[in-house]
Amino acid sequence: RSSARRGQAHALSHLARPEEALAAAQAALALAHEHADASSQIAALNVLADIHARHQLPPPADMKAANPVLHYLQLALEIAATIEGYTVPGALLDATAREYAAIGDHARAYAIALQASAARDQTHSQQATNRAIAMQVQYQTERAQTEGEHHRQLAAAEAQRAEVLQQTSATLEHLSAIGQEITAHLDAAAVFRALDRHVHGLLDATHFSVFLLEPGGEWLACAFGVEAGNPLPPVRVPLSDPNANSARCVRERREILIELGEADVTPNLIPGTLPTLSLIFAPLRVGERVLGVMTVQSLHERAYGERERLIFRTLCAYGAIALDNASAYRQVAATLKTLSATQEQLLEKNVELEQAYKALEEVSLTDQLTGLRNRRFFLQNVDADVAMSLRGYDTCQHRELTECDLLAPNDLVFFMVDLDHFKEVNDRYGHAAGDSILVQMQERLREVFRESDYVIRWGGEEFLVLARATHRDEAHVVAERMRRAVADRDFLLPDGARLSKTCSIGFACFPFLPAQPRLLSWSQVVELADQGLYIAKRSGRNAWAALYSTAATRPDGIFPRLMQQLDQAVADGEVRPVSNLTGPLVLGGERRRVGLSSDLET
């Protein structure tokens, strides 16, 4: 009832009936309080915050926060802190951070935003682990069931002992190899081919097909189908169809076995297909989610006994995991119900799934929205590139620096790219439009930068690019191409409208001082790139800016001077600012982030 009240409140809010929406949300919160349901309380508080964000309503009587939205978000965080082992959702932390930023408390907003990032990283890591756990649970279940069947047969008929042992051993070995093969694929077509091959190798299957739920969850579409060696025509079945066994299997979330006699009429026979007598349907499940249904059918009566059904269930489990992995690899959007209680025990018992786990971990290194690499990937790889750059400078230490520059580009260039006035897009057109622009932004980043460069979704509308083996004198050319790639082409919004946007870019070269390549760490150079970004922002936007060392640069204490006394360092000739802007650059001013260097190194 609490969940229904929350849904009603959302609907009323969108229908511009704020008072009724507020009453429904408060009723949902009261129900959650009555039953001491902390999760439902958090959800109801989120709805109340959303309603106050959308509409001008009187504040609650007990409000102590700066505004009603922040009041309800703080209450939600307080309740979340009382739940043992509960990971606060990143969306809740993001919403709180935005509210603190809106009231000007940027320090607290930044701290909470870091917590949101950590929560998402933890969730991503749990996703990879949960898939491995699901595979282990299925494997252990199948093994236990097969061993139990073996012992029952042994007690019933000792004479068949040798044959049963041989059959069971071969089945287990075969299923183990099949599971490793199927789950190693990250392409849906390859998963279908592997399932088709092994279904026909293990079962009497005149007909084999896989139906997957379409986006929206109202239709099932035949993604793969073969009958008597011939491909089946495309078929779509409404999930509400009362006669379709595939739709019924998904609705009821259970296995369906149909046995017919030769005189019986095959129900719901698809035109052009054979009248099979044994039909088995099983849902493709990952945790609590149903991806679709898989079916095998035979022309023989009673073709599927308990052993065949167990094999089919195992293939369904492997197929569901493999298809979910393929979907996560493409969309990075799948989640699983946590199995943390058995996580460590199952991982210790199943070293055979290590390879599949490593493949899934790759997903956690990718940003879900844009498909770009994320901050975790960057931190895992940047040290190796820095070491390679330093080795290049070390081999040139006995030569003149200009000679080394001519031999090979050992520089690394860090680019900070930030969309200008991006918040206005979300405020005016909605978050879906903002997400669409970020996806198109990654396409333009890939157009400008090389495949060997690291293009990172750094956070929000900000991107970090590490251009590898790039000569420092060519960095401004790349920055200008990136600026024009954004400014010269409109972005297409989901509703078909076009929107013109610009970006600001700051960059810095590693090593900052070529004569002393280890003077500044890579994280300090990223700080200098960030300093360049803010120079471009303060000086007018739709621009790029960078700081270069000069012959007059004094190594001692150079980083604090550049961060805190930049105007003086430029006046003394210690640093040379470079920009596409023709007017004077605004070098001073407060930056919205502090402590970036220590955060990166951590």
Side-chain angles (χ1 to χ4, degrees):
R1 291 202 305 275
S2 178
S3 177
R5 291 289 188 185
R6 295 197 302 270
Q8 183 183 31
H10 269 301
L12 290 169
S13 176
H14 283 280
L15 290 172
R17 294 158 65 181
E19 291 79 7
E20 297 175 63
L22 184 63
Q26 289 172 341
L29 180 61
L31 283 169
H33 273 300
E34 179 182 348
H35 293 275
D37 186 342
S39 297
S40 293
Q41 291 178 44
I42 294 172
L45 289 168
N46 263 318
V47 173
L48 286 166
D50 183 65
I51 292 172
H52 278 275
R54 288 176 174 274
H55 308 285
Q56 291 292 333
L57 292 168
D62 59 343
M63 185 179 80
K64 297 180 181 179
N67 57 55
V69 176
L70 194 56
H71 169 76
Y72 288 117
L73 291 175
Q74 286 177 343
L75 288 179
L77 289 175
E78 290 173 3
I79 295 174
T82 65
I83 306 175
E84 184 177 356
Y86 178 73
T87 300
V88 181
L92 175 58
L93 292 170
D94 282 336
T96 307
R98 285 195 299 272
E99 287 303 315
Y100 276 116
I103 65 173
D105 193 345
H106 298 290
R108 184 172 295 181
Y110 176 68
I112 295 176
L114 290 180
Q115 295 178 27
S117 177
R120 282 191 292 272
D121 287 343
Q122 181 180 356
T123 301
H124 295 166
S125 177
Q126 288 177 349
Q127 289 176 359
T129 300
N130 290 342
R131 290 192 181 91
I133 290 172
M135 295 169 68
Q136 170 66 7
V137 169
Q138 181 60 46
Y139 177 80
Q140 293 293 340
T141 302
E142 172 63 18
R143 180 173 181 176
Q145 291 173 339
T146 305
E147 288 179 350
E149 178 67 15
H150 161 66
H151 288 303
R152 285 191 295 272
Q153 291 181 4
L154 181 64
E158 183 65 25
Q160 299 178 0
R161 180 174 179 274
E163 180 181 355
V164 172
L165 282 173
Q166 182 179 3
Q167 182 181 12
T168 303
S169 176
T171 300
L172 285 173
E173 183 178 356
H174 199 179
L175 288 176
S176 177
I178 290 171
Q180 293 182 20
E181 176 190 349
I182 293 175
T183 55
H185 292 300
L186 289 175
D187 177 71
V191 173
F192 292 143
R193 290 193 298 269
L195 285 171
D196 179 53
R197 184 171 65 256
H198 293 299
V199 161
H200 287 90
L202 292 171
L203 302 170
D204 180 6
T206 303
H207 173 110
F208 168 64
S209 59
V210 178
F211 288 79
L212 295 180
L213 277 171
E214 293 183 349
E218 296 181 356
W219 287 83
L220 280 170
C222 183
F224 182 86
V226 174
E227 185 173 87
N230 299 315
L232 293 173
V235 176
R236 294 176 74 239
V237 179
L239 195 62
S240 59
D241 190 336
N243 300 317
N245 289 314
S246 55
R248 175 187 165 199
C249 178
V250 173
R251 291 196 306 269
E252 298 181 3
R253 294 176 170 238
R254 66 179 182 88
E255 178 185 299
I256 297 175
L257 176 64
I258 299 175
E259 299 281 5
L260 302 172
E262 292 185 357
D264 295 330
V265 177
T266 304
N268 310 318
L269 181 65
I270 298 175
T273 60
L274 298 174
T276 51
L277 300 180
S278 297
L279 307 87
I280 185 170
F281 298 81
L284 295 171
R285 296 180 59 172
V286 178
E288 294 300 316
R289 293 182 298 114
V290 177
L291 308 181
V293 61
M294 195 162 86
T295 176
V296 292
Q297 302 173 21
S298 171
L299 293 174
H300 301 96
E301 296 183 34
R302 297 178 179 81
Y304 305 126
E306 184 61 28
R307 177 179 173 276
E308 287 76 19
R309 293 170 65 184
L310 290 174
I311 292 174
F312 183 62
R313 290 174 199 148
T314 303
L315 292 176
C316 287
Y318 287 139
I321 292 170
L323 290 172
D324 192 50
N325 291 346
S327 176
Y329 184 76
R330 294 190 309 269
Q331 304 174 9
V332 196
T335 56
L336 292 172
K337 182 181 179 180
T338 180
L339 298 173
S340 57
T342 58
Q343 174 181 332
E344 293 184 1
Q345 177 185 0
L346 294 177
L347 286 176
E348 291 174 357
K349 292 180 179 179
N350 188 16
V351 295
E352 297 176 7
L353 293 176
E354 181 178 357
Q355 183 177 0
Y357 173 79
K358 290 180 179 178
L360 291 174
E361 188 177 13
E362 180 71 11
V363 175
S364 70
L365 301 176
T366 305
D367 176 61
Q368 291 185 355
L369 174 63
T370 63
L372 296 175
R373 294 298 192 180
N374 59 20
R375 185 180 295 220
R376 182 182 176 195
F377 172 87
F378 174 77
L379 295 178
Q380 287 184 1
N381 292 274
V382 64
D383 289 333
D385 288 282
V386 169
M388 182 179 298
S389 175
L390 292 175
R391 283 197 299 271
Y393 272 88
D394 290 342
T395 58
C396 295
Q397 63 184 352
H398 62 283
R399 302 189 185 101
E400 291 294 331
L401 183 61
T402 54
E403 180 185 355
C404 293
D405 288 341
L406 293 173
L407 290 175
N410 297 315
D411 297 328
L412 301 175
V413 183
F414 294 88
F415 293 85
M416 278 286 188
V417 183
D418 187 89
L419 281 166
D420 296 329
H421 302 299
F422 182 74
K423 184 178 182 298
E424 296 177 0
V425 177
N426 287 332
D427 293 343
R428 181 175 180 181
Y429 299 98
H431 289 281
D435 290 347
S436 176
I437 287 180
L438 292 176
V439 172
Q440 296 173 63
M441 185 66 179
Q442 66 87 16
E443 296 171 355
R444 302 188 188 188
L445 285 164
R446 293 186 190 275
E447 292 173 5
V448 172
F449 292 97
R450 300 165 300 184
E451 195 170 322
S452 60
D453 297 334
Y454 295 155
V455 183
I456 308 298
R457 171 86 182 279
W458 198 241
E461 70 274 21
E462 192 170 57
F463 302 86
L464 172 66
V465 181
L466 170 55
R468 309 162 71 192
T470 300
H471 200 287
R472 62 186 59 224
D473 293 339
E474 300 173 356
H476 71 281
V477 178
V478 179
E480 176 61 17
R481 285 206 306 268
M482 187 65 242
R483 185 193 68 79
R484 293 180 65 88
V486 176
D488 292 353
R489 302 205 316 263
D490 290 343
F491 290 85
L492 183 63
L493 300 184
D495 61 0
R498 293 185 174 275
L499 183 64
S500 176
K501 296 298 294 179
T502 61
C503 70
S504 298
I505 304 167
F507 64 88
C509 303
F510 180 91
F512 180 72
L513 192 62
Q516 297 187 35
R518 290 175 172 80
L519 177 65
L520 296 185
S521 67
W522 66 262
S523 58
Q524 291 173 322
V525 173
V526 172
E527 288 268 22
L528 295 181
D530 197 57
Q531 183 78 287
L533 172 63
Y534 277 91
I535 291 174
K537 289 278 190 185
R538 290 190 292 261
S539 302
R541 294 185 170 84
N542 189 21
W544 51 264
L547 301 175
Y548 280 85
S549 63
T550 68
T553 301
R554 292 181 290 115
D556 293 341
I558 180 61
F559 183 70
R561 288 200 301 280
L562 295 182
M563 300 306 295
Q564 302 169 13
Q565 304 170 13
L566 181 58
D567 290 339
Q568 188 62 43
V570 172
D572 295 342
E574 285 196 87
V575 63
R576 175 170 58 95
V578 178
S579 176
N580 66 312
L581 296 170
T582 58
L585 299 178
V586 181
L587 302 178
E590 182 181 358
R591 295 164 65 228
R592 71 178 176 219
R593 285 188 299 274
V594 295
L596 180 62
S597 176
S598 61
D599 175 56
L600 288 174
E601 292 173 345
T602 301

